[in-house]
Amino acid sequence: MRALLVLIAALTVSACVAPTQVAAPAPALPPDVPVSVALAIDVANRIEPVAEAVCRAQSRNLNCDFAMFVDRDPRTGVNAFQTFEPETGRPIIILTVGLIRAVRNADELAFVIGHEAAHHIAQHIDAQQAAAQAGAQIFGSSAIERGLSRAQVIEAANFGALVGARQFSQAAELEADALGTLIGCRAGFDAEIGARFFSQLPDPQARILGTHPPNAERIRVVQETAAQVCR
């Protein structure tokens, strides 16, 4: 039974854990809103060396050579996420063109990029996968002990993976907000102005299985961190 449960947990990780996202898709923007990819390049060029320095200082064995790309497909909405280059493990930050349209100044864009870099520095993808697997094992074990069917055990393990990943995700977002604040400040941006970008996002409120914490809590973390590291 233990071997079966471990296998179930491994399978649920791939199904339930996705690259961390900073924003949910938002309503389509008017077609006449200008898209300044040049602004994104300028901000990225200022943020990248600072993020790399913070990464190397905090994570000795981590690949800190960030690559940043713009997804020009307008259907992808307002979003940004961090992932990896499969062959090399190089960290990649992807901004959608919808996000570049949505930011109102360089500080907001810098905050988003710093936030995504922070996810890599804190190794959140690996940690989220571990949290999902732990949740799957706990819920799956409970189902086995209650004598449930194989299908019910799989269902319980999948739900446990979801719970584990989502609970970790909220804490990871706040950690990335704090570390992203540090990165933005060191690059010469105003993190508190940058955090005003939250006002453009739907507020997830306080939901147990939500992927993101309430916007007010995120703003509080940025303000408290900025008071400590940005002045």
Side-chain angles (χ1 to χ4, degrees), residues 61-81:
N61 299 318
L62 204 60
N63 187 329
C64 296
D65 184 20
F66 289 95
M68 301 188 191
F69 299 97
V70 174
D71 181 351
R72 294 176 178 268
D73 186 346
R75 295 172 297 180
T76 54
V78 178
N79 209 352
F81 62 92

Side-chain angles (χ1 to χ4, degrees), residues 88-135:
T88 65
R90 184 182 187 186
I92 295 173
I93 295 173
I94 298 178
L95 309 175
T96 67
V97 73
L99 183 137
I100 296 172
R101 287 179 174 180
V103 295
R104 294 165 293 192
N105 51 62
D107 294 303
E108 290 187 349
L109 186 57
F111 181 81
V112 171
I113 296 175
H115 173 99
E116 295 305 325
H119 277 309
H120 172 67
I121 296 169
Q123 303 181 61
H124 284 159
I125 289 180
D126 289 344
Q128 189 179 38
Q129 290 175 340
Q133 185 165 350

Side-chain angles (χ1 to χ4, degrees), residues 43-191:
V43 172
N45 285 339
R46 291 174 59 186
I47 285 284
E48 195 280 333
V50 176
E52 182 174 333
V54 172
C55 179
R56 295 192 188 284
Q58 296 195 14
S59 309
R60 288 176 176 261
N61 299 318
L62 204 60
N63 187 329
C64 296
D65 184 20
F66 289 95
M68 301 188 191
F69 299 97
V70 174
D71 181 351
R72 294 176 178 268
D73 186 346
R75 295 172 297 180
T76 54
V78 178
N79 209 352
F81 62 92
Q82 179 260 316
T83 186
F84 298 97
E85 191 174 78
E87 295 79 11
T88 65
R90 184 182 187 186
I92 295 173
I93 295 173
I94 298 178
L95 309 175
T96 67
V97 73
L99 183 137
I100 296 172
R101 287 179 174 180
V103 295
R104 294 165 293 192
N105 51 62
D107 294 303
E108 290 187 349
L109 186 57
F111 181 81
V112 171
I113 296 175
H115 173 99
E116 295 305 325
H119 277 309
H120 172 67
I121 296 169
Q123 303 181 61
H124 284 159
I125 289 180
D126 289 344
Q128 189 179 38
Q129 290 175 340
Q133 185 165 350
Q137 290 175 329
I138 292 171
F139 278 66
S141 294
S142 175
I144 291 173
E145 291 172 359
R146 287 180 287 147
L148 300 183
S149 68
R150 184 177 185 278
Q152 290 172 318
V153 169
I154 293 174
E155 182 179 0
N158 274 293
F159 183 71
L162 174 65
V163 171
R166 291 292 176 85
Q167 288 184 341
F168 172 81
S169 178
Q170 293 198 28
E173 291 301 321
L174 295 177
E175 184 178 11
D177 287 338
L179 185 54
T181 296
L182 170 66
I183 292 170
C185 288
R186 289 188 178 178
F189 296 96
D190 190 319

Side-chain angles (χ1 to χ4, degrees), residues 8-19 129 132 157-159 161-162 165-166:
I8 293 170
L11 291 173
T12 57
V13 167
S14 63
C16 298
V17 179
Q129 290 175 340
N158 274 293
F159 183 71
L162 174 65
R166 291 292 176 85

